[in-house]
Amino acid sequence: MHILEKFRMPCAWRGSAKQISVDAVIPLFAVPALAVIAAQTLFCTIIIFVTTPVLVHYLHHNFLRFLLRTKFFFVWTIVSVIMLMLVFEITVVPLLEILPEENLVFIICVVGGIWCGYLTRLKADRMTQNAGQGLELGEGSGELCLICRRRTPPRAYHCRTCQTCILGREYHCKWLDCCIGSSNLRWYLACLLFSAIAFIYGSNLTMTSVCHPFILIATVLLPDDCSDVYYQLDIALCFVSAIYSLLVGLVLVCYLIYHLWLIYLGTTSNERRNLPPSSHYGESVLKSLSPIFCCKV
Ligand SMILES: [Zn+2]
Ligand SMILES: [Zn+2]
C-alpha cells in the first residue's frame, strides 16, 4: 500500500455520507499559502511560480497517480477560481479603476466558464453511468476491451481512472476530474474558451489597476510600471493573482487551439497518441508540457 493511501483515512462528514481524504485537502491550504508567500517580494514570486509546477508534477508522479481517483487537481481548480474571484472582487474592484461594464463582462465569462465546466462533468458522469449499465460482454460492434471484457462501440477507448470505455475519448482531465469524450467535448471547449477569456481579461484588468497603465488603443490599457506593488500585501496579492491568471489563461488558449486543430484533422488526442511517432507533427511542445499540467495528452 502506498504511503499516501495509508493517510487516506476517510473521515465521515458529520451527518452526511461525504468523505474527505488528505490528498484533496492539501490544495485548500497550499494554494492560498503559496499566493501569500509569492506576494512578499519579486524574488518570492519568481521562486513560487517556477517551483510550484515542478512540485505538483513531483507529487503527481510519485504519490497521486498511485491513488485510484484523487481529487487533488479538482480541488486545486476550485480553490484557485474562488481565490482569484475573491481577490478581484474584494481588492481590485474597490480600487475604482475598473468600469462596471468591464466587471460585468468579467463576471459573465467566469460564470460561463463555471457553468460549462459543470456541464462537462455532468455529461461525463452520464457517459460513465451509461457505459457501466449499457453494454454487456459481447455487445457493441467494435473491438473487445480487454479491461472491461466487453465489445465497445467503434472509437471508444478505455480510461483507467473512470474504469470504463469512453466514446470518442480525448483524455482524462485531472483539473475537472472527468473524462473528455464525444458527449462533452463541446462543453469542455466552451469551458476552455470562457475560462481563457476570464483569466486573461481579469489579469489585464488587475494589472492595469495595480500598476501604472498606459493606453494601447482607445480604452485598451496595458501595465507599464509594476515596481511598487510589493509595498502593500493586498496589492501584491492582486499582482501575483494577475500573473497566475495570465499563465493559466495562456495554457487554456494552447489547449483550445490544440483541440480545434484535432477537430480539423477529424481525430482525438487519444487516437493520435496511438499513432507512430513519425506522424506527430507540432505536438512536441504540448507533449512536453502535458506532464507538468497533468492532462494526459
Ligand atoms: Zn474498457
Ligand atoms: Zn476518465
Side-chain angles (χ1 to χ4, degrees), residues 42-56:
L42 179 63
F43 179 72
C44 291
T45 306
I46 295 167
I47 292 292
I48 292 293
F49 277 101
V50 171
T51 54
T52 303
V54 178
L55 279 175
V56 169

Side-chain angles (χ1 to χ4, degrees), residues 144-155:
L144 180 72
C145 173
L146 295 172
I147 308 166
C148 298
R149 294 187 51 75
R150 65 184 183 199
R151 289 207 178 277
T152 53
R155 304 194 74 185

Side-chain angles (χ1 to χ4, degrees), residues 250-271:
L250 291 176
V251 170
L252 296 183
V253 168
C254 292
Y255 270 94
L256 187 61
I257 293 170
Y258 175 66
H259 280 288
L260 292 176
W261 180 59
L262 287 178
I263 291 169
Y264 169 72
L265 293 177
T267 183
T268 65
S269 55
N270 198 115
E271 288 170 347

Side-chain angles (χ1 to χ4, degrees), residues 117-191:
Y118 167 74
L119 284 176
T120 307
R121 280 176 54 83
L122 194 73
K123 300 270 177 193
D125 282 347
R126 289 206 187 131
M127 196 158 56
T128 45
Q129 276 170 10
N130 290 344
Q133 293 165 356
L135 294 167
E136 293 301 324
L137 179 67
E139 289 184 30
S141 53
E143 289 180 16
L144 180 72
C145 173
L146 295 172
I147 308 166
C148 298
R149 294 187 51 75
R150 65 184 183 199
R151 289 207 178 277
T152 53
R155 304 194 74 185
Y157 302 96
H158 192 83
C159 174
R160 289 177 195 278
T161 312
C162 297
Q163 295 182 307
T164 189
C165 281
I166 304 290
L167 194 61
R169 181 176 183 268
E170 295 282 345
Y171 50 68
H172 190 92
C173 178
K174 289 182 160 44
W175 302 102
L176 286 178
D177 188 34
C178 68
C179 244
I180 308 302
S182 56
S183 74
N184 63 353
L185 182 62
R186 73 189 67 176
W187 294 110
Y188 179 64
L189 294 181
C191 176

Side-chain angles (χ1 to χ4, degrees), residues 5-20:
E5 200 75 63
K6 285 184 191 166
F7 283 105
R8 229 185 177 202
M9 301 291 278
C11 39
W13 219 230
R14 205 158 25 118
S16 86
K18 289 219 185 252
Q19 292 184 335
I20 180 164

